[in-house]
Amino acid sequence: EWKWKPHFGSSRAASEGFCGASFFFLVMKVINSQEFVKIPKGVEVEVSGRVVKVTGKYGTLERNFRHLPVVIEKYGKKQTVLKVEIWFGLSKHLACMRTVCSHIENMFTGVMKKFEYKQRLVYSHFPINVNILNGGKTVEIRNYLGEKCVRTVMMYPGVTCRKSEQTKDELIIEGVDIDNTSMSAAKIHQSCLCKKKDIRKFLDGIYECESGTVDKE
């Protein structure tokens, strides 16, 4: 569908010497656009309006997409596919549709395989000491660059942290929600940033070395 849209005082009009002039340009809307996401085996999906609830091996995730002008529903005879649809969408609306599909696919991966981030403690002189409290929900970092202050990092809901049993000075952050898991890892990293020093020389900190899923298959 083509739609005429008025535009006033544009840079094009100014460049042509018509300051304050008005003209019209075309805005194209796609009548109907669809994306499909296959539901994996062992995953249950409930769709209510634009709220998607996913249940799998490692738990349940729920996400609200009511801020986007999309239609989400199960599709097919066996209801094994999710259809994301937009009517009369502009280019920005169509980009949102692909974003919704990516979020749903990450939810499937989280409840089936669980996300995992690995971080290493890096130090040259003062060893960094890490204590994990409250069942893996709280991380205390001590002796960073010899400082006396204790850095306390709280994990986001559904995320736990533990020390690696195979590798020295390694932390493992696990969670079902990819957003909460990655942000928890980022909080640990940002709590040990070197301030007011040459970062080419002072490389102490906690850095991410690997990211993926608990179930590798």
Side-chain angles (χ1 to χ4, degrees):
E1 179 184 344
W2 293 89
K3 182 179 180 181
W4 290 98
K5 183 178 180 180
H7 189 71
F8 301 94
S10 69
S11 58
R12 177 182 171 185
S15 64
E16 294 178 357
F18 298 102
C19 295
S22 63
F23 63 96
F24 292 83
F25 64 94
L26 290 175
V27 176
M28 189 183 75
K29 289 187 175 182
V30 179
I31 295 178
N32 180 256
S33 185
Q34 299 176 347
E35 289 276 355
F36 298 92
V37 181
K38 187 177 179 181
I39 302 175
K41 292 183 179 179
V43 176
E44 297 181 2
V45 179
E46 298 178 15
V47 180
S48 177
R50 280 172 282 182
V51 178
V52 180
K53 185 177 181 180
V54 178
T55 304
K57 175 182 176 182
Y58 287 104
T60 301
L61 288 177
E62 184 174 316
R63 190 150 193 151
N64 191 335
F65 297 103
R66 286 178 178 165
H67 60 287
L68 297 174
V70 298
V71 179
I72 305 174
E73 60 185 2
K74 289 185 178 181
Y75 184 76
K77 293 182 179 179
K78 297 183 179 180
Q79 303 284 293
T80 57
V81 176
L82 272 183
K83 181 174 74 172
V84 182
E85 187 175 28
I86 285 184
W87 290 87
F88 301 102
L90 298 173
S91 59
K92 290 186 178 180
H93 299 147
L94 302 182
C96 292
M97 183 175 60
R98 183 61 245 175
T99 300
V100 171
C101 294
S102 298
H103 283 311
I104 295 174
E105 289 172 352
N106 285 333
M107 293 168 68
F108 291 159
T109 304
V111 298
M112 288 176 58
K113 299 181 179 181
K114 203 173 192 179
F115 291 102
E116 178 184 67
Y117 286 78
K118 294 183 179 181
Q119 294 182 320
R120 297 292 298 272
L121 311 181
V122 178
Y123 51 85
S124 58
H125 184 271
F126 296 101
I128 301 174
N129 300 323
V130 174
N131 295 327
I132 298 176
L133 310 173
N134 196 15
K137 296 181 180 179
T138 305
V139 178
E140 287 187 351
I141 303 168
R142 302 173 185 269
N143 201 39
Y144 174 70
L145 291 178
E147 297 177 2
K148 298 298 183 182
C149 67
V150 179
R151 293 167 166 82
T152 303
V153 181
M154 303 294 295
M155 299 292 100
Y156 282 90
V159 181
T160 58
C161 180
R162 61 182 176 87
K163 292 184 179 180
S164 174
E165 298 177 356
Q166 289 80 20
T167 307
K168 181 186 176 184
D169 293 335
E170 183 177 71
L171 300 178
I172 300 177
I173 299 97
E174 296 176 346
V176 177
D177 191 337
I178 187 173
D179 293 337
N180 289 350
T181 309
S182 59
M183 287 192 296
S184 297
K187 284 178 66 176
I188 295 175
H189 167 69
Q190 292 175 349
S191 67
C192 292
L193 295 180
C194 187
K195 304 291 186 180
K196 299 182 180 179
K197 292 182 176 64
D198 188 353
I199 59 175
R200 296 171 296 179
K201 175 67 175 179
F202 295 88
L203 300 174
D204 294 27
I206 302 178
Y207 299 95
E208 180 183 329
C209 63
E210 185 181 343
S211 64
T213 57
V214 174
D215 296 346
K216 302 301 181 183
E217 297 180 359

